[in-house]
Amino acid sequence: MKTGTLKQILLITDGCSNVGEDPIAMSALAKEQGVSVNVIGVMENDVIDEKGMQEIESIALSGGGVSQVVYARQLSHTVQMVTRQAMTQTLQGVVNRELTQILGNKQTIEDLPPEQRGEVMEVVDELGETVEMEVLILVDTSASMKHKLPTVKEALFDLSLSLNARTGKNKFSLFVFPGKKNDVEKLLDWTPKLESLTSMFAKLSTGGITPTGPALREAITYFEKKRSLRNLISRNDDEYYEESI
């Protein structure tokens, strides 16, 4: 079964967006582009209000992803859990589409007899260990996140250790919002080593607005740029091959 590369945006924030495009609409656009959007809301002494929680859930829902609201001290475990859960959810969607094509009648994993369902879930678990993943991490650095960034750094380091224990390839990139000059700033280009961001967190400054929508738009564009570059390289290789024969 070919699944390609699983693409995820992992949004870590602690409140409502307050400038730019609607982040829920941007998240839906990401889903259309084959990128799932997962959101972790970081609480400290219950400071996330009902509106903030609703936005977090809506962004994940429209992006076909997973959402979780947690206290800062639980962040490390949650980042790993949400990333894994989203991966499994995406793979189950792939398997369900395969089943519909093979069996018809819109059959899904849940429709199978218990024994077959168990066998299919084993395939999903195996794919979860072997499939290639690209995770673009978006971290809210607005003023209220100042005391939470050290915890975010630890959580992302633990995430890299967890995912690098898989046999499948992983690539990470890291963006923060708001940036120093723009709504969003790239801190880390695609790399298999998320631990390389450790030194960067010490240099981060917090403050300002929360442009979640523009940050999601930039993340989508970044995936598209990567795909365009890959297509260009592939096309050049084909042209070179044609000239050689």
Side-chain angles (χ1 to χ4, degrees):
M1 182 185 298
K2 286 193 172 183
T3 57
T5 301
L6 293 192
K7 300 178 178 65
Q8 291 190 25
I9 293 172
L10 178 62
L11 171 62
I12 301 176
T13 182
D14 74 342
C16 299
S17 59
N18 54 20
V19 67
E21 299 97 327
D22 178 4
I24 297 167
M26 288 296 103
S27 186
L29 181 60
K31 184 181 177 183
E32 287 178 16
Q33 303 288 336
V35 181
S36 64
V37 182
N38 311 298
V39 193
I40 297 174
V42 190
M43 282 198 295
E44 190 171 47
N45 302 323
D46 297 318
V47 293
I48 288 188
D49 60 17
E50 196 65 35
K51 185 182 176 186
M53 291 181 69
Q54 187 175 355
E55 181 175 275
I56 285 165
E57 291 171 359
S58 298
I59 291 172
L61 185 64
S62 66
V66 177
S67 68
Q68 189 77 34
V69 177
V70 296
Y71 291 110
R73 63 179 178 273
Q74 302 165 316
L75 187 61
S76 184
H77 170 72
T78 304
V79 166
Q80 294 178 55
M81 181 192 72
V82 165
T83 306
R84 288 275 185 172
Q85 190 179 340
M87 177 170 59
T88 301
Q89 181 174 293
T90 305
L91 289 170
Q92 284 180 353
V94 172
V95 171
N96 280 338
R97 288 194 293 274
E98 292 267 341
L99 287 174
T100 300
Q101 289 178 2
I102 296 168
L103 303 175
N105 302 322
K106 295 194 174 178
Q107 285 250 17
T108 66
I109 296 171
E110 289 73 23
D111 299 324
L112 296 173
E115 187 175 327
Q116 281 184 299
R117 193 185 313 146
E119 290 174 358
V120 170
M121 286 310 298
E122 282 183 19
V123 172
V124 170
D125 289 342
E126 184 179 339
L127 284 173
E129 289 302 311
T130 58
V131 71
E132 291 189 16
M133 282 186 66
E134 292 176 358
V135 184
L136 189 152
I137 300 157
L138 269 180
V139 178
D140 179 354
T141 53
S142 56
S144 53
M145 283 290 288
K146 182 174 183 178
H147 301 298
K148 298 164 191 168
L149 285 183
T151 312
V152 172
K153 180 180 77 171
E154 291 172 16
L156 296 182
F157 180 69
D158 288 347
L159 173 66
S160 71
L161 294 178
S162 168
L163 291 185
N164 284 332
R166 301 167 59 249
T167 54
K169 294 179 180 177
N170 308 293
K171 284 186 180 176
F172 307 96
S173 60
L174 176 70
F175 286 68
V176 295
F177 66 98
K180 288 179 181 177
K181 297 180 180 178
N182 301 305
D183 285 338
V184 59
E185 180 182 350
K186 179 179 73 176
L187 289 191
L188 189 67
D189 205 345
W190 291 111
T191 175
K193 298 180 179 180
L194 188 59
E195 58 269 25
S196 58
L197 63 79
T198 305
S199 59
M200 297 178 189
F201 269 82
K203 303 172 187 173
L204 284 184
S205 57
T206 53
I209 53 178
T210 312
T212 310
L216 285 168
R217 183 194 62 216
E218 185 66 27
I220 297 166
T221 303
Y222 196 57
F223 274 109
E224 288 175 346
K225 284 178 183 174
K226 187 172 188 296
R227 187 164 60 236
S228 298
L229 180 61
R230 187 184 296 134
N231 291 342
L232 177 64
I233 292 169
S234 175
R235 191 164 66 246
N236 287 344
D237 285 347
D238 290 343
E239 289 170 0
Y240 175 79
Y241 176 72
E242 287 171 6
E243 288 173 5
S244 300
I245 57 176

